[in-house]
Amino acid sequence: MSFPNRRHFLVAGLTASAAAALPATFAPGTAHADDPTAATAARGLRVDPFTLGVASGDPDHEGFVLWTRLAQQPLAEDGLGGMPQRPFPVLWQVYADERLRRVVRSGVATAAPEWGHSVHVEVDGLAADREYWYRFRVGPYVSPPGRARTAPHPSSWGSALAMAFVSCAQYEHGYFTSYRRLAEDHPDLVLHLGDYQYEYTRDTYTIPGGNIRDHEGPETETLAGYRQRHAQYKTDPDLQAAHAAAPWLVVWDDHELDNNWADKVPEKPEVPQPNFLARREAAFRAYYENMPLRRTSIPRGIDMQLYRRVRWGRTATFHMLDTRQYRDDQGCGDGYKDCPAAVDPARSITGAEQEAWLLDGFRRSRAQWDILGQQVFFAQRDNNAGPAKVTSMDAWDGYVASRRRITQGWVDAGVRNAVVLTGDVHAHWASDLKLDYDDPTGPSVGAELVATSISTTGDGADSDPATHPFLAINPHLKFYNNQRGYVLTRIERDQMTADFKVVPQVTVPDAEVYTRATFVIEDRVPGVQQTYLRPLDPSLRLAPITAEDTVRQETERP
């Protein structure tokens, strides 16, 4: 099934040029272009500073976070966006109508140079379970509008939740068409599960035939570099459209800092990187500056509080996890291995404190759906048909005891419906979750839905999912597709429906989107049930899928 568009306001009004068609002043009662506040704010601004768009995030039943960042020259090498080194007062307004006429909240925030001239406004006092619109102004310049919404009251069911989740957007590998199509689906909430940006310099991480766009600047290792890279991604109009369409819940994976990093250990510890902790601090600061996060996530040196819980009425509780900052280093030198460290009960992917927080959340939850928004593959994926168990050391397979404790935790807590959402692996997957993956006849205790990449690894290709060897070796795996796209879900009291959306190409702009498959998770029926599979195009010449190809796609890096 597909969820039709309810409005086209979002994609029609998201760019700075569209904002120019709006009134030059805000609603009555706010500052005008000729008042002292506006004159002070305009000093030093020669062009429109709203080049990076707007965003909202972390909603609750009373409000949400609003975000923007001022940048006159977003790709400036010093990461300062061409902004004068002084603070700017930024007016913000929240509206009850999409024509931006009825103001319900407003104020002034400071865009400070030490935080990259970013703005984070925590709006509260709003009505539960309804849409709002917002925009910003500095001097004579008005931002494009965005749409946000509040969650239902914790005691209320509210209406069905349209939630999309995404992962892995490599700017150089393709256009961000899936972000645009996601905005057109008009979701209520978007989860970004990591790899929002990539750290490499141009011509380093390439796809067959060559990259279609280039990163600016060197590999990101400094605050200036990370700010510049985030700004380059934020200038993409399709990404701006997705941010302005709905509030986001964001968590990072590895490329926001360094491929496959683990706590204080870089990807390649054998290669000296004496400044890695300084690099981590810079990456964390830039991530906060560029995301719609609450003040609880302001980084403190090399630490940043990113795991958190968001309630959507009685329908769902989202447990947003951080599987990078606290994990033990990957076993056996990373990669796909048959590794003794994978089953070491002392090793953890979440760290003890986050694990205890998650298990406590399971015990306290009264939600219909407990949803884990996290980064790496949760279910077992053995790529060896023989007695050896060859699995990814970077995924939960590399931390088997950690996975078992958390799975047992939601079973013991009597969680009604446990669903794990995942990114990272650049392909769509759906699977049943088990306590014991070595017993395929044992009961399922949850479901996992995995979103493919927005653009990473280029176009990909369609295939018959049943022919993937992983599905034969691991019967709990139920679906695979290697095209780019996102997952659009509809969460109701009695079921959760997931459309696996794909675009046939990302190396050309503006491809159309279609649903490749649909799965349903029924209330109190753990596991996934396929209800729709699009027939293969008979004109396609499909190459056979091999386990080696999948491993290479997930692990091949510069």
Side-chain angles (χ1 to χ4, degrees), residues 377-432:
F377 216 102
F378 194 86
Q380 178 176 290
R381 285 188 309 156
D382 185 359
N383 78 350
N384 184 281
K389 189 171 289 185
V390 181
T391 59
S392 170
M393 294 301 98
D394 190 56
W396 288 81
D397 274 332
Y399 306 82
V400 170
S402 192
R403 176 175 62 198
R404 174 70 186 227
R405 289 191 298 268
I406 286 170
T407 308
Q408 189 70 58
W410 78 57
V411 172
D412 291 346
V415 164
R416 187 179 181 109
N417 298 292
V419 181
V420 177
L421 306 182
T422 301
D424 183 60
V425 293
H426 314 149
H428 281 318
W429 298 82
S431 65
D432 296 342

Side-chain angles (χ1 to χ4, degrees), residues 275-430:
N275 297 322
F276 182 71
L277 294 185
R279 181 182 187 182
R280 170 172 156 162
E281 181 175 352
F284 286 14
R285 188 177 185 92
Y287 187 81
Y288 173 78
E289 290 173 351
N290 286 278
M291 294 295 166
L293 289 163
R294 293 183 180 271
R295 64 175 65 92
T296 51
S297 292
I298 293 174
R300 292 170 174 82
I302 66 167
D303 298 316
M304 183 171 171
Q305 179 68 42
L306 200 57
Y307 67 84
R308 62 206 188 278
R309 246 184 294 278
V310 173
R311 295 184 62 181
W312 198 268
R314 296 177 64 184
T315 301
T317 295
F318 293 91
H319 309 267
M320 305 301 291
L321 304 187
D322 178 351
T323 64
R324 287 291 165 191
Q325 190 174 179
Y326 315 103
R327 68 158 68 190
D328 291 297
D329 193 19
Q330 295 92 340
C332 300
D334 210 349
Y336 271 74
K337 305 283 177 61
D338 182 8
C339 176
V343 297
D344 182 348
R347 299 178 72 253
S348 173
I349 194 172
T350 62
E353 184 176 328
Q354 183 178 194
E355 181 179 302
W357 167 86
L358 181 58
L359 296 179
D360 182 65
F362 292 152
R363 289 188 291 268
R364 294 173 180 270
S365 177
R366 298 296 180 267
Q368 196 86 345
W369 302 89
D370 278 270
I371 299 172
L372 280 65
Q374 59 93 50
Q375 297 77 20
V376 294
F377 216 102
F378 194 86
Q380 178 176 290
R381 285 188 309 156
D382 185 359
N383 78 350
N384 184 281
K389 189 171 289 185
V390 181
T391 59
S392 170
M393 294 301 98
D394 190 56
W396 288 81
D397 274 332
Y399 306 82
V400 170
S402 192
R403 176 175 62 198
R404 174 70 186 227
R405 289 191 298 268
I406 286 170
T407 308
Q408 189 70 58
W410 78 57
V411 172
D412 291 346
V415 164
R416 187 179 181 109
N417 298 292
V419 181
V420 177
L421 306 182
T422 301
D424 183 60
V425 293
H426 314 149
H428 281 318
W429 298 82

Side-chain angles (χ1 to χ4, degrees), residues 205-278:
Y205 184 15
T206 58
I207 57 174
N211 292 341
I212 65 163
R213 306 192 284 190
D214 290 322
H215 280 154
E216 295 289 333
E219 177 157 334
T220 51
E221 294 181 303
T222 65
L223 181 57
Y226 283 110
R227 283 173 169 172
Q228 181 193 38
R229 187 62 50 81
H230 274 284
Q232 183 174 17
Y233 277 59
K234 281 289 204 305
T235 58
D236 185 279
D238 296 332
L239 176 54
Q240 289 192 15
H243 268 302
W248 284 34
L249 299 179
V250 300
V251 286
W252 56 39
D253 192 17
D254 51 343
H255 292 288
E256 287 87 353
L257 170 52
D258 177 43
N259 180 54
N260 284 12
W261 66 281
D263 195 5
K264 298 177 183 178
V265 183
E267 175 190 11
K268 300 174 181 177
E270 70 278 7
V271 178
Q273 197 174 140
N275 297 322
F276 182 71
L277 294 185

Side-chain angles (χ1 to χ4, degrees), residues 45-300:
L45 295 181
R46 301 175 302 280
V47 295
D48 186 350
F50 293 109
T51 56
L52 307 181
V54 299
S56 66
D58 277 28
D60 61 21
H61 66 284
E62 293 186 305
F64 33 72
V65 178
L66 300 181
W67 172 93
T68 193
R69 179 181 162 209
L70 307 182
Q72 295 186 110
Q73 301 169 21
L75 302 187
E77 292 182 1
D78 60 7
L80 301 178
M83 294 295 296
Q85 284 297 289
R86 68 174 184 86
F88 285 82
V90 179
L91 281 71
W92 58 269
Q93 286 189 326
V94 176
Y95 302 85
D97 64 307
E98 65 183 279
R99 301 186 71 179
L100 311 180
R101 292 182 175 178
R102 188 157 66 90
V103 178
V104 292
R105 286 290 183 277
S106 64
V108 177
T110 298
E114 56 267 32
W115 290 99
H117 287 101
S118 62
V119 174
H120 297 75
V121 178
E122 297 186 21
V123 183
D124 58 16
L126 300 175
D129 196 21
R130 64 152 297 164
E131 295 176 308
Y132 291 94
W133 289 262
Y134 63 93
R135 59 179 172 173
F136 300 88
R137 180 183 145 222
V138 57
Y141 302 106
V142 179
S143 78
R147 168 186 171 267
R149 67 163 298 134
T150 52
H153 190 274
S155 64
S156 169
W157 287 104
S159 51
L161 169 61
M163 181 272 293
F165 65 99
V166 298
S167 179
C168 302
Q170 218 288 19
Y171 182 88
E172 300 174 299
H173 288 184
Y175 294 101
F176 289 168
T177 309
S178 290
Y179 281 141
R180 172 73 56 170
R181 301 296 172 240
L182 181 157
E184 293 167 349
D185 281 327
H186 199 76
D188 301 312
L189 187 67
V190 177
L191 272 61
H192 199 293
L193 302 180
D195 294 345
Y196 183 93
Q197 56 116 81
Y198 281 70
E199 73 271 35
Y200 307 113
T201 191
R202 70 176 65 189
D203 298 326
T204 301
Y205 184 15
T206 58
I207 57 174
N211 292 341
I212 65 163
R213 306 192 284 190
D214 290 322
H215 280 154
E216 295 289 333
E219 177 157 334
T220 51
E221 294 181 303
T222 65
L223 181 57
Y226 283 110
R227 283 173 169 172
Q228 181 193 38
R229 187 62 50 81
H230 274 284
Q232 183 174 17
Y233 277 59
K234 281 289 204 305
T235 58
D236 185 279
D238 296 332
L239 176 54
Q240 289 192 15
H243 268 302
W248 284 34
L249 299 179
V250 300
V251 286
W252 56 39
D253 192 17
D254 51 343
H255 292 288
E256 287 87 353
L257 170 52
D258 177 43
N259 180 54
N260 284 12
W261 66 281
D263 195 5
K264 298 177 183 178
V265 183
E267 175 190 11
K268 300 174 181 177
E270 70 278 7
V271 178
Q273 197 174 140
N275 297 322
F276 182 71
L277 294 185
R279 181 182 187 182
R280 170 172 156 162
E281 181 175 352
F284 286 14
R285 188 177 185 92
Y287 187 81
Y288 173 78
E289 290 173 351
N290 286 278
M291 294 295 166
L293 289 163
R294 293 183 180 271
R295 64 175 65 92
T296 51
S297 292
I298 293 174
R300 292 170 174 82

Side-chain angles (χ1 to χ4, degrees), residues 431-443:
S431 65
D432 296 342
L433 298 178
K434 306 281 186 176
L435 274 171
D436 183 2
Y437 291 97
D438 293 331
D439 178 11
T441 65

